[in-house]
């Protein structure tokens, strides 16, 4: 059930405001670039890639953000310190968007933090992510660098339920705060279709308990659907991805990691439509949406 009465926190990360009441604040959409087997990456270990194509993808996300009113961030994935640092350097110069720094191991992320410290990017970088199996070295480096925002990933392998996700957040949030994280973003950890339902329930419960920005990587439900193309046909993948993202927003998500950045052309319109529908409910209860909200832009 959509709730708009409770006060919810919002954070400013770079130029993007994230959080706030459902129906009032537009959903922040996060596209991922340089992920495993991304067609623009030529050598994932050295960080070699097609710079022209990468810039086109980034600009396309920006254009759809402008059209819909949904703010955008970029999730930058790196397999090695060399690759992650090169990717961060490129993306930070190609866009003013906030960046999720997404190294595939703690060691890679720690190296990325050193780059962030020396490049003056800490106010627009989100550490992605802190999990229950965090390393002490990660926390020490986060505190040293002074980065203020991190994804709190509620993956709980010991209790694979919606309540397990809530418990993971309860455990991780104090840890993140002790490391200096002042702007936590809670990711309710979608890994497949069953977990999408659990993640949606956790979104609602975590919003009510903490009032913090909450979202998920909903695209994982589709990426791990083994029978999708074989049983449903290749044409079913894109609508499935849009639906997975939309259901999390209908359940109160403030942000969605929608997967490969090249899907911006249909994810942004889909989420803008859901945002506009929810905004009308908010207005009926005398809660005005943000002036740049999709309800005022997509008609």
């Amino acid at each position: 059930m959509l709730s708009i009465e409770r006060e919810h926190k919002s954070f400013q990360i770079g130029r993007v405001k994230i959080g706030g009441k459902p129906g009032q604040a537009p959903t922040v959409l996060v596209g991922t670039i340089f992920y495993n087997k991304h067609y623009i990456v030529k050598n994932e270990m050295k960080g070699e890639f097609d710079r022209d194509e990468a810039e086109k993808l980034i600009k396309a996300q920006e254009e759809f953000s402008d059209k819909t009113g949904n703010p955008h961030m970029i999730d930058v994935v790196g397999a090695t310190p060399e690759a992650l640092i090169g990717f961060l350097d490129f993306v930070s110069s190609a866009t003013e968007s906030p960046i999720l720094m997404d190294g595939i191991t703690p060691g890679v992320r720690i190296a990325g933090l050193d780059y962030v410290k020396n490049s003056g990017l800490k106010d627009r970088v989100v550490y992605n992510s802190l999990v229950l199996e965090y390393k002490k070295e990660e926390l020490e480096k986060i505190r040293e660098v002074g980065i203020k925002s991190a994804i709190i990933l509620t993956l709980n392998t010991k209790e694979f339920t919606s309540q397990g996700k809530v418990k993971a957040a309860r455990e991780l949030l104090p840890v993140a705060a002790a490391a200096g994280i002042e702007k936590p973003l809670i990711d309710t950890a979608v890994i497949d279709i069953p977990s999408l339902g659990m993640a949606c329930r956790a979104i609602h419960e975590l919003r009510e308990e903490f009032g913090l920005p909450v979202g998920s990587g909903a695209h994982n439900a589709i990426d791990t659907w083994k029978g999708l193309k074989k049983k449903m046909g290749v044409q079913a993948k894109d609508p499935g991805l849009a639906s997975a993202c939309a259901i999390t927003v209908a359940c109160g998500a403030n942000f969605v990691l929608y997967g490969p950045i090249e899907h911006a052309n249909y994810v942004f319109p889909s989420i803008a439509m859901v945002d506009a529908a929810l905004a009308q409910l908010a207005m009926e209860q005398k809660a005005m949406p943000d002036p740049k909200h999709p309800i005022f832009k997509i008609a």
Side-chain angles (χ1 to χ4, degrees):
M1 175 67 97
L2 181 67
S3 171
I4 66 168
E5 290 82 9
R6 174 187 286 272
E7 289 295 329
H8 296 287
K9 297 176 183 177
S10 62
F11 301 133
Q12 192 75 32
I13 301 175
R15 293 189 170 191
V16 168
K17 183 179 179 181
I18 186 168
K21 297 179 181 178
Q24 286 187 278
T27 305
V28 177
L29 296 175
V30 186
T32 301
I33 195 167
F34 308 127
Y35 54 87
N36 183 37
K37 297 183 180 179
H38 196 180
Y39 72 92
I40 67 172
V41 177
K42 308 305 180 184
N43 186 320
E44 68 174 3
M45 304 306 288
K46 294 182 178 180
E48 297 172 355
F49 64 99
D50 185 329
R51 300 176 73 89
D52 291 338
E53 190 64 20
E55 188 168 1
K56 288 179 183 177
L57 292 173
I58 292 170
K59 296 306 178 186
Q61 179 175 263
E62 291 180 342
E63 289 171 5
F64 275 96
S65 178
D66 290 340
K67 289 178 181 178
T68 63
N70 289 99
H72 63 99
M73 296 182 176
I74 298 181
D75 180 41
V76 177
V77 180
T80 66
E82 179 184 4
L84 181 58
I85 290 169
F87 293 157
L88 289 171
D89 187 65
F90 172 80
V91 172
S92 63
S93 63
T95 179
E96 295 181 347
S97 166
I99 296 169
L100 275 63
M101 190 192 69
D102 192 359
I104 65 172
T105 67
V108 174
R109 294 193 294 273
I110 288 170
L113 283 172
D114 280 326
Y115 170 80
V116 169
K117 178 181 180 180
N118 297 326
S119 62
L121 292 174
K122 69 178 184 179
D123 291 335
R124 54 184 284 217
V125 167
V126 180
Y127 189 80
N128 189 14
S129 57
L130 281 175
V131 298
L132 288 173
E133 295 77 20
Y134 61 85
K135 301 296 184 182
K136 180 181 177 182
E137 293 80 7
E138 290 182 271
L139 304 179
E140 292 172 347
K141 182 60 70 171
I142 287 171
R143 189 180 299 109
E144 174 193 327
V145 172
I147 197 168
K148 299 302 181 185
S149 184
I151 295 287
I152 307 301
L153 186 62
T154 62
L155 181 62
N156 190 339
T157 56
K158 294 181 180 178
E159 188 172 346
F160 200 65
T161 64
S162 56
Q163 280 304 303
K165 296 176 184 297
V166 173
K167 291 177 182 178
R170 290 172 180 162
E171 182 174 337
L172 282 169
L173 285 169
V175 171
I181 297 297
E182 299 173 357
K183 302 174 182 180
L185 310 178
I186 304 175
D187 181 335
T188 54
V190 173
I191 61 171
D192 54 19
I193 293 174
S195 67
L196 177 60
M198 293 186 287
C200 287
R201 180 172 181 178
I203 284 172
H204 175 75
E205 294 190 13
L206 288 165
R207 286 183 61 88
E208 291 304 302
E209 180 167 346
F210 296 106
L212 292 167
V214 185
S216 74
H219 70 97
N220 288 325
I222 307 304
D223 290 345
T224 56
W225 186 354
K226 292 182 179 179
L228 173 60
K229 293 180 181 179
K230 182 178 179 181
K231 294 183 178 181
M232 307 297 173
V234 294
Q235 85 292 338
K237 184 174 182 179
D238 291 352
L241 175 58
S243 298
C245 293
I247 191 174
T248 63
V249 177
C251 290
N254 298 111
F255 64 91
V256 178
L257 286 88
Y258 65 85
I261 194 171
E262 52 265 34
H263 298 321
N265 61 342
Y266 64 86
V267 171
F268 273 78
S270 300
I271 300 307
M273 179 189 69
V274 178
D275 275 353
L278 297 181
Q280 184 61 40
L281 296 180
M283 289 193 288
E284 287 186 3
Q285 298 186 43
K286 313 300 182 185
M288 284 301 297
D290 184 275
K292 296 181 180 179
H293 195 281
I295 195 171
F296 303 122
K297 300 196 70 171
I298 66 172

